[in-house]
Amino acid sequence: MRFALSPEQLDFGTSVRKLLDAGRTPGAVRSWATGDPRPGRALIRQLAGAGVLGLAIEEEHGGVGAEPIDLVVAFVELGRAAAPGPLVETAAAIPALLQALPDKRLAARWLPGFAEGAAMGTIAFASPDQHSVALDADSAEVVLLADGAQLYTGQRAGLVRSIDPARRLFAVTADEPIAEGDEVLDAIAVAFDTGALAGAAQVLGAGRALLDATTGYAKQRKQFGKPIGEFQAVKQKLADVLIALDLAEPLLFRAALTMDEPTRSRDVSAAVIACGDAAYRAARAALQVHGAIGYTAEYDLSLWLSKVTALRSAWGTTDLHRSRIARALRDEAVLARQLRGTA
């Protein structure tokens, strides 16, 4: 299994990064946080024009029909830029859900608009012990609620406090039923894993951005007459962050390459944990190296710090993903014993 990107994928990632750099993303993020989505929507339309929003959408619905690894490449760059909006939901989770349903009419109805950036979607996954919450339900034209083996259109119920002001969370209640049955349950599972994969890429990209910003700051900030980056303690801290990010990346790539394999959920969970932990390490190091200025809301670093904290559990807690890995390993061990018994 190959864990290195092709030259074409590297070029694609570079082009997405240049687009985001030119789009004045920090300003769009701050406007989004105040409830003004116009700069963010303009940026999202540019991303759609570059094919980013159509990567997971089949050609018959106006998309590109790319591989999951291409989606990962794009979302690393989206995370690196802290781009606003329900991008994981619009470009990954909902397309995977609708295209996995036996009835393709919903895909034909909504996905062309997603691919061209004319519409966005968001989705809430029902939980028995807490509110069903969807990201940016006030800006999305399509709001869905997945509840067990049932899929509904969603009704926005109220704003839920988020640690990241640019991730506007809303409680969602069921409105009109649109699909149900075992095949819907399977499609929802695919949607969750695809969303979690894109979310892992997004948080890894945010971690990379924090490392770059912190390294740059350590080269410029001086104490005792020399840059703080020359101090061994700072060097070691940043080296630990780099190692964590570099070790998480192959797990992310493996998950992308096994999305059609029986190990899908296990591999996605491993990527979510590794990428989230590495990005959190980057956030802690960024705060420690920057000092008090890192806590300042007006300083751009804060956009990535809050993003990493929110994204780390946006697609399931660490406990959830560890339990999925343990369950998968247990099932594999049981199957292996059964096979040995019949040999």
Side-chain angles (χ1 to χ4, degrees):
M1 188 172 290
R2 186 171 184 271
F3 293 129
L5 299 177
S6 69
E8 294 78 13
Q9 289 163 339
L10 292 170
D11 288 344
F12 174 61
T14 299
S15 67
V16 174
R17 187 183 306 183
K18 289 180 178 178
L19 188 157
L20 290 163
D21 288 344
R24 299 180 179 178
T25 307
V29 174
R30 288 192 165 90
S31 293
W32 196 281
T34 64
D36 178 9
R38 289 173 295 178
R41 291 298 291 255
L43 179 63
I44 289 168
R45 286 193 292 271
Q46 289 181 298
L47 291 168
V52 173
L53 298 192
L55 287 171
I57 297 176
E58 296 168 358
E59 292 183 17
E60 64 183 289
H61 301 308
V64 178
E67 297 297 323
I69 189 65
D70 300 305
L71 192 71
V72 162
V73 170
F75 270 92
V76 167
E77 297 305 327
L78 292 170
R80 193 189 297 269
L87 295 169
V88 170
E89 293 78 3
T90 301
I94 296 179
L97 169 63
L98 299 184
Q99 290 169 156
L101 294 175
D103 187 346
K104 302 301 182 184
R105 287 177 294 180
L106 292 175
R109 176 183 173 188
W110 287 323
L111 294 188
F114 288 6
E116 65 186 24
M120 294 189 301
T122 190
I123 184 169
F125 294 89
S127 175
D129 56 351
Q130 58 186 348
H131 292 299
S132 301
V133 176
L135 175 65
D136 295 319
D138 59 335
S139 300
E141 285 77 15
V142 178
V143 180
L144 300 178
L145 173 63
D147 186 357
Q150 295 181 307
L151 183 65
Y152 303 88
T153 56
Q155 182 69 38
R156 192 178 72 204
L159 187 64
V160 177
R161 186 175 179 274
S162 172
I163 195 169
D164 178 5
R167 287 179 57 84
R168 295 168 57 81
L169 303 177
F170 290 85
V172 172
T173 58
D175 191 7
E176 296 291 332
I178 53 178
E180 63 179 342
D182 290 341
E183 291 173 319
V184 174
L185 183 64
D186 292 340
I188 290 172
V190 171
F192 180 83
D193 285 341
T194 306
L197 175 71
Q202 195 176 21
V203 77
L204 183 71
R208 295 279 190 198
L210 284 169
L211 177 60
D212 291 345
T214 307
T215 302
Y217 183 80
K219 292 177 180 178
Q220 297 175 0
R221 179 75 167 88
K222 291 185 177 181
Q223 284 186 350
F224 307 109
K226 61 181 181 179
I228 63 174
E230 294 185 13
F231 299 135
Q232 186 62 36
V234 175
K235 289 181 180 179
Q236 188 63 55
K237 187 175 293 293
L238 297 181
D240 288 344
V241 172
L242 178 61
I243 290 169
L245 292 169
D246 283 351
L247 290 177
E249 189 173 72
L251 291 175
L252 179 65
F253 290 170
R254 176 184 172 84
L257 295 172
T258 58
M259 288 299 285
D260 293 328
E261 302 294 330
T263 60
R264 182 193 72 213
S265 294
R266 183 200 68 186
D267 294 342
V268 167
S269 287
V272 169
I273 293 171
C275 292
D277 287 352
Y280 184 65
R281 181 185 289 266
R284 286 177 58 88
L287 270 177
Q288 290 170 338
V289 173
H290 279 80
I293 194 173
Y295 291 90
T296 306
E298 290 77 13
Y299 193 59
D300 282 352
L301 187 77
S302 65
L303 302 179
W304 281 266
L305 293 175
S306 57
K307 188 73 67 182
V308 163
T309 305
L311 285 175
R312 196 179 178 211
S313 59
W315 288 88
T317 64
T318 298
D319 286 345
L320 168 68
H321 287 288
R322 288 190 189 282
S323 68
R324 296 209 318 167
I325 294 171
R327 186 164 55 248
L329 293 176
R330 181 197 62 205
D331 292 345
E332 290 172 12
V334 170
L335 178 60
R337 286 197 297 269
Q338 291 174 342
L339 292 174
R340 286 197 299 270
T342 58

